[in-house]
Amino acid sequence: MTPLLPEQIAWAPGGGFRILDQTLLPLEERYLVLTSLAQVAEAIQTLRVRGAPLIGIAAAMGVAVAAEESGGGEGEPVGVLQAVREACGVLGATRPTAVNLRWALDRMLGCAERAAASGKPLARALRTEATAIWDEDRAMCDRIGEAGLPFVPDGATVLTHCNAGALATGGRGTALAPVYTAHERGRRVQVVADETRPLLQGSRLTAWELTRAGIPCTVIADNMAASLLRRGDIACVIVGADRIAANGDTANKIGTYGLALAAKAHNVPFYVAAPRSTIDLATPAGDAIPIEERGVAEVQSFRGVVSAPRAAKVWNPAFDVTPAGLVTAYITDAGVVRASELAGRFGAAA
Ligand code: MRU
């Protein structure tokens, strides 16, 4: 029987780690083994592996791979530490918006520095730390699933954008975690997935993982969401996040802001689901969140078909910022919180 969740990432027995190449879904399920820093950076940059928490996990594993590549076994901690620092620089530059990437790299660097100071083999310590980041993410997804369960009653239809499911995390996802948990508890639940132009994470990935798990999913083009919300049969919107600023402003896949506006206009609750690794209290508000801009080719053609004349300019921001005022609540691994409660719940002293 197909397991509920796809295996999105795993250590490879022969060295390195394995990812499911998400650029090929839903047509092909192909796994790639990444055994070098360059391969890991390429996989993150091209979205073979994607979604804020999974980017963090892949980068953490990438740092461990880089340490192994530089001979990080028993000897030479100074040289390996230098390689780890360089790897953190390379991986940190791959995608600027998801704060989980920087969060994971800071943890890996701290781990390497502690191991070097105490004369321990760095590569082994880094592999253990990357595994811990992955395990913790899986547990946080489970807690988000429990926290969000009341918003997914029997018979609910949930609208989501992009992919914030198993394919985006080390576990059962963030936005989709309450859906999986409700389904497991026997509730009849269905999802409407925005297609999510330009790279179709909603129609290619969300619809793939949900239908594979036996959860009914309806795909709509992004421009259909407002009309659907107006009809009144959406219980709630749940989306993921790439970074939540201290005031609750939330960066997520481009199109999320418009969806939040439409939900507000039709009195549909709009929830952001995220683990603590996505909450960035050092960034005061959404204006300070760096927004990744990607290449024009992603907009100029659509599944191989030219969709704009070459003479036209193209703008391709990968994310937008939804102001905190449009977010009903945040479904986190520490429970459901309002924007005003984020700093207290997730601050250093909390
Ligand atoms: O560009 P992507 O596919 O990495 O963007 C992903 C998203 O915007 C997700 O909604 C976000 O990372 C949350 S994943 C749990």
Side-chain angles (χ1 to χ4, degrees), residues 18-350:
R18 200 177 95 137
I19 58 159
L20 179 55
D21 184 345
Q22 298 194 24
T23 62
L24 303 177
L25 290 171
L27 288 176
E28 200 183 330
E29 286 174 45
R30 192 193 297 167
Y31 288 88
L32 295 177
V33 176
L34 309 178
T35 54
S36 71
L37 172 64
Q39 286 174 345
V40 177
E42 190 270 348
I44 295 175
Q45 225 289 314
T46 58
L47 276 59
R48 294 186 199 285
V49 60
R50 47 145 300 280
L54 192 60
I55 290 171
I57 295 164
M61 289 179 162
V63 173
V65 165
E68 282 157 20
E69 247 188 322
S70 73
E74 305 303 320
E76 281 238 66
V78 176
V80 183
L81 188 55
Q82 187 51 30
V84 166
R85 287 201 177 105
E86 281 165 20
C88 289
V90 169
L91 294 169
T94 50
R95 299 203 68 192
T97 304
V99 75
N100 310 62
L101 175 63
R102 197 188 70 205
W103 175 87
L105 293 174
D106 285 349
R107 255 181 84 161
M108 294 303 282
L109 189 55
C111 167
E113 285 169 350
R114 284 192 303 280
S118 58
K120 289 196 189 131
L122 264 66
R124 201 178 313 153
L126 288 168
R127 193 172 254 261
T128 304
E129 186 72 355
T131 304
I133 288 173
W134 178 19
D135 289 343
E136 287 166 27
D137 188 67
R138 193 184 300 117
M140 289 194 287
C141 290
D142 288 347
R143 291 201 290 274
I144 290 168
E146 292 293 338
L149 198 53
F151 306 130
V152 189
D154 188 38
T157 301
V158 174
L159 174 57
T160 192
H161 189 67
C162 193
N163 172 263
L167 288 171
T169 65
R172 59 181 48 209
T174 56
L176 296 189
V179 171
Y180 281 120
T181 305
H183 175 74
E184 265 176 10
R185 306 280 161 88
R187 297 185 190 176
R188 286 158 304 157
V189 48
Q190 57 175 309
V191 173
V192 175
D194 273 358
E195 157 187 71
T196 317
R197 271 288 274 151
L199 295 179
L200 308 179
Q201 288 92 331
S203 55
R204 291 189 304 106
L205 307 178
T206 296
W208 179 77
E209 64 167 84
L210 287 173
T211 52
R212 188 180 167 281
I215 299 174
C217 177
T218 304
V219 173
I220 59 169
D222 298 340
N223 52 8
M224 299 168 189
S227 293
L228 183 66
L229 286 162
R230 187 181 185 188
R231 285 167 54 147
D233 33 36
I234 298 296
C236 63
V237 179
I238 313 181
V239 297
D242 282 77
R243 189 184 299 227
I244 300 173
N247 72 344
D249 291 352
T250 299
N252 191 50
K253 179 55 57 190
I254 189 76
T256 304
Y257 176 32
L259 191 57
L261 286 168
K264 182 83 166 180
H266 296 294
N267 291 317
V268 176
F270 183 91
Y271 299 109
V272 171
R276 64 190 60 218
S277 51
T278 305
I279 297 165
D280 180 13
L281 297 178
T283 296
D287 288 351
I289 299 176
I291 300 295
E292 175 183 6
E293 291 202 15
R294 296 184 61 85
V296 296
E298 291 177 357
V299 176
Q300 278 171 332
S301 69
F302 184 66
R303 294 246 127 182
V305 177
V306 173
S307 55
R310 289 263 157 205
K313 290 183 191 149
V314 166
W315 182 48
N316 186 19
F319 301 96
D320 58 24
V321 174
T322 298
L326 295 177
V327 179
T328 309
Y330 303 80
I331 307 171
T332 77
D333 56 285
V336 177
V337 298
R338 306 272 163 190
S340 58
E341 297 167 326
L342 285 168
R345 192 69 65 94
F346 298 103

